[in-house]
Amino acid sequence: MTLSTIEIYKLLPKTNCKECRTQTCFAFAALMFKGEREISECPYVGKEVVDLFKGTAKKVNTVEEDREKFLESLRHRVTQTDLASRAKPTGGIYANNRLTIKIMGKDFSVDSTGKLFSDIHVNPWVAGPFLTYVLETKGVPATGTWVPLRELEGGKDWARLFGQMCEKPLKQVADTYPDLFADMIALFNGKPVDNHYQSDISLVLHPLPYLPMLICYWKPEEELSSELNLFFDQNAEENLNIDRIYTLSTGLVTMFEKIGLKHGVATPCPTD
Ligand code: SF4
């Protein structure tokens, strides 16, 4: 059995008690993934979890190998799928043996062999969620009701990690990179909307056609530090599972961090 860091993390108690001599459960999961720790070093997991890892103390797959294996399984499923029939639920267009979907205003296509095409660089963070969306989305329209990730059905387990890995770093980018929101509008088809939750800036992005994301940013003032929260439509999980929502969100944030680092040299072509 090969589990990713995230999958291992989901099996841990997530209390960050440090008894395993690491700072967080996530760090412990990352070390386990590399084969540098064993599940028995966490005293708080049940026997069923320990049994899952029997005989897997030394992991051989690298992160890239694991990711590629996962992508390969998705590509294989695409070959078994009638892509034309997926145009409607994905909000895409099927033509010339390719299904094309807009990701934040940019064209991404897949053909019947599972091969991906795009005018911009296809990062692993987008390839997995994109293919999962192609295969699984129900095409449920947004309700217009925004909720934080923790209020999505599967979001509770992810909320803390999401705050650390998505909202916090994106807030830092917004704090230090004043053109961030303007670039989101210009480069990624962001739509300013009426201010939600009394935020100073409210912006909607569409990482996938039926997966809108609301970004709310409160500027720092006097004694108050800035704040940034991300919201999803309450139907989000009908269109993408929570694991992939997390992957896509962290990937977006990484991309914005890179754009922010370039500061002004805005590019729609994130690199690994
Ligand atoms: S001992 Fe277990 S619960 Fe505590 S931090 Fe380590 S992995 Fe998390």
Side-chain angles (χ1 to χ4, degrees):
M1 179 189 56
T2 302
L3 295 180
S4 65
T5 297
I6 293 290
E7 287 166 332
I8 297 170
Y9 171 74
K10 286 167 77 174
L11 296 168
L12 298 174
K14 307 177 197 69
T15 55
N16 301 328
C17 72
K18 303 185 179 63
E19 286 190 40
C20 56
R21 297 171 288 114
T22 52
Q23 288 300 306
T24 63
C25 294
F26 191 79
F28 181 76
L31 290 172
M32 272 196 68
F33 179 76
K34 289 197 274 179
E36 294 174 14
R37 291 295 178 86
E38 292 183 20
I39 192 67
S40 57
E41 294 175 70
C42 171
Y44 298 107
V45 289
K47 184 174 177 307
E48 65 288 354
V49 175
V50 174
D51 287 347
L52 269 180
F53 290 92
K54 273 200 174 132
T56 63
K58 286 291 168 200
K59 201 166 177 316
V60 287
N61 281 7
T62 64
V63 177
E64 290 73 23
E65 286 167 340
D66 215 39
R67 184 194 286 145
E68 189 46 43
K69 208 168 147 192
F70 173 65
L71 287 177
E72 198 44 53
S73 71
L74 292 175
R75 283 190 208 107
H76 177 70
R77 285 174 62 195
V78 168
T79 66
Q80 315 285 307
T81 301
D82 172 18
L83 284 181
S85 72
R86 298 300 296 158
K88 191 163 181 228
T90 54
I93 293 172
Y94 182 78
N96 303 322
N97 193 34
R98 290 185 189 178
L99 175 62
T100 301
I101 294 170
K102 295 264 184 216
I103 297 186
M104 299 207 305
K106 313 290 176 199
D107 281 351
F108 276 75
S109 306
V110 60
D111 70 10
S112 57
T113 69
K115 191 171 175 197
L116 297 177
F117 304 86
S118 176
D119 291 340
I120 65 172
H121 184 70
V122 180
N123 266 330
W125 63 262
V126 83
F130 171 76
L131 289 174
T132 305
Y133 179 82
V134 165
L135 292 163
E136 298 178 2
T137 184
K138 294 179 187 160
V140 177
T143 62
T145 300
W146 297 104
V147 294
L149 187 98
R150 66 176 178 278
E151 288 181 23
L152 295 177
E153 197 181 326
K156 212 164 147 221
D157 287 345
W158 291 85
R160 201 159 166 200
L161 194 61
F162 185 78
Q164 284 298 313
M165 304 299 284
C166 291
E167 290 172 316
K168 191 173 167 192
L170 190 55
K171 179 181 92 73
Q172 281 165 353
V173 180
D175 288 347
T176 54
Y177 177 43
D179 293 334
L180 174 69
F181 297 108
D183 279 352
M184 283 179 174
I185 293 167
L187 295 172
F188 301 111
N189 214 22
K191 301 265 185 270
V193 290
D194 285 345
N195 287 353
H196 286 262
Y197 313 109
Q198 281 84 47
S199 62
D200 296 309
I201 293 169
S202 299
L203 192 73
V204 173
L205 291 175
H206 279 81
L208 288 162
Y210 286 116
L211 191 81
M213 176 194 281
L214 171 67
I215 301 171
C216 291
Y217 178 68
W218 292 261
K219 294 175 184 167
E221 56 179 81
E222 294 177 7
E223 304 289 292
L224 294 173
S225 60
S226 64
E227 213 176 306
L228 186 147
N229 290 127
L230 297 174
F231 300 88
F232 297 89
D233 191 86
Q234 65 178 3
N235 272 350
E237 284 172 288
E238 299 286 330
N239 295 320
L240 194 66
N241 68 51
I242 195 77
D243 295 30
R244 301 284 87 80
I245 290 176
Y246 174 82
T247 307
L248 192 56
S249 304
T250 48
L252 283 180
V253 171
T254 303
M255 180 181 73
F256 289 128
E257 281 179 317
K258 287 178 178 174
I259 291 174
L261 273 178
K262 291 185 179 175
H263 194 83
V265 188
T267 169
C269 181
T271 54
D272 289 330

